[in-house]
Amino acid sequence: ALVSLRQLLDHAGEHAYGLPAFNVNNLEQMRAIMMAADKTDSPVIVQASAGARKYAGAPFLRHLILSAIEEWPHIPVVMHQDHGTSPAVCQRSIQLGFSSVMMDGSLKEDGKTPADYDYNVRVTREVVKMAHACGVSVEGEIGCLGSLETGMAGEEDGVGAEGVLDHSQLLTSVEEARQFVADTNVDALAIAVGTSHGAYKFTRPPTGDILAIDRIKEIHEALPNTHLVMHGSSSVPQEWLKIINDNGGNIGETYGVPVEQLVDAIKHGVRKINIDTDLRLASTGAIRKFMTEHPAEFDPRKYLAASMKAMEEICVARYEAFGAAGNA
Ligand code: G3H
Ligand code: 13P
Ligand code: NA
Ligand code: ZN
């Protein structure tokens, strides 16, 4: 059944678990997520970015998610729009039937230039007014995502501030978070606590604390009724990097957020954990491996089935680690 983000995260909050929010733009990702949720009895958040809409087309994307709901009617599913760059984009998604939208007013409409506080409040309030009138949830964002190690926002294309950010921009302040929620009434709030988008988060193996756990804790205490969201939460599995590179790929040394640290963040109030890169890596690795091992095969269903299985395994692992399993 289609449910709102608020409904799912309220349940997650009451029972102290976290929900992975997986990005989708194709059939294989969608089926992998649903099969994993079915196996582990987990609720589902799937999200579509602007890039996903451009790739698959808005109607296909919408029907992809609706098809999943039809095939697995016993699983609660949030259809969420990721990183909306304007109230108009969010309005269009509400009209399309999304049950949740993100208004990312931390960046200007270009999705690159950091925006000021007043702009962020103005656009986010506008979306909250529209969305809440339709029973749709809203995620806002305060702060600039970026690695505390490199100061980089991550992805060069796609969503994320450009250039190197200074340390104060990379951590959401408690006071700003509190004021932002009071000013906008968002249901969920994405915070900057050391994560960044894409595969290139950290250049060295993350041994110590990669996340600003104390800051997460303080924001959660100041805002007990606002669900915290962490973007850029892929773990960048080293085993998949190796499979990619052993099968003709060329991805440099890089590290993500260890699953144990995501679990720690959940203990301190994070409820929605955004993951896209990990499924991309698993999918690519599985296809490369399949191609190496079966050079004569040319039925796309064969290598896409391998890709689907690899993605499903990641989804199962996250549903279990985050405590979402058993909560559908
Ligand atoms: O936040 C970024 C997500 O990983 C979506 O990426 O814009 O390439 O679809 P995308
Ligand atoms: P990753 O690039 O770490 O998977 O993050 C995805 C994300 O935050 C989508 O909004
Ligand atoms: Na931001
Ligand atoms: Zn994001």
Side-chain angles (χ1 to χ4, degrees), residues 83 102 104-107 141-145 161:
H83 292 286
M102 177 189 193
D104 184 357
S106 75
L107 301 170
E141 175 165 322
I142 188 87
C144 278
L145 283 206

Side-chain angles (χ1 to χ4, degrees), residues 235-296:
S235 303
V236 188
Q238 295 301 305
E239 60 272 28
W240 280 115
L241 291 184
K242 186 173 180 340
I243 291 170
I244 290 172
N245 288 340
D246 284 350
N247 290 280
N250 182 13
I251 297 185
E253 185 178 5
T254 181
Y255 301 90
V257 186
V259 173
E260 315 85 71
Q261 294 201 30
L262 297 172
V263 171
D264 214 24
I266 291 165
K267 281 190 194 128
H268 294 106
V270 171
R271 298 289 162 241
K272 176 173 178 277
I273 299 102
N274 285 11
I275 298 171
D276 187 353
T277 299
D278 282 352
L279 299 195
R280 295 182 183 193
L281 290 170
S283 170
T284 298
I287 290 172
R288 281 194 176 278
K289 184 165 183 281
F290 185 94
M291 296 284 189
T292 306
E293 290 171 357
H294 305 91

Side-chain angles (χ1 to χ4, degrees), residues 23 47 82-83 196-198 201 231-234 274-277:
N23 284 75
Q47 52 190 13
D82 196 19
H83 292 286
S196 58
H197 288 114
K201 301 185 198 301
H231 284 244
S233 295
S234 276
N274 285 11
I275 298 171
D276 187 353
T277 299

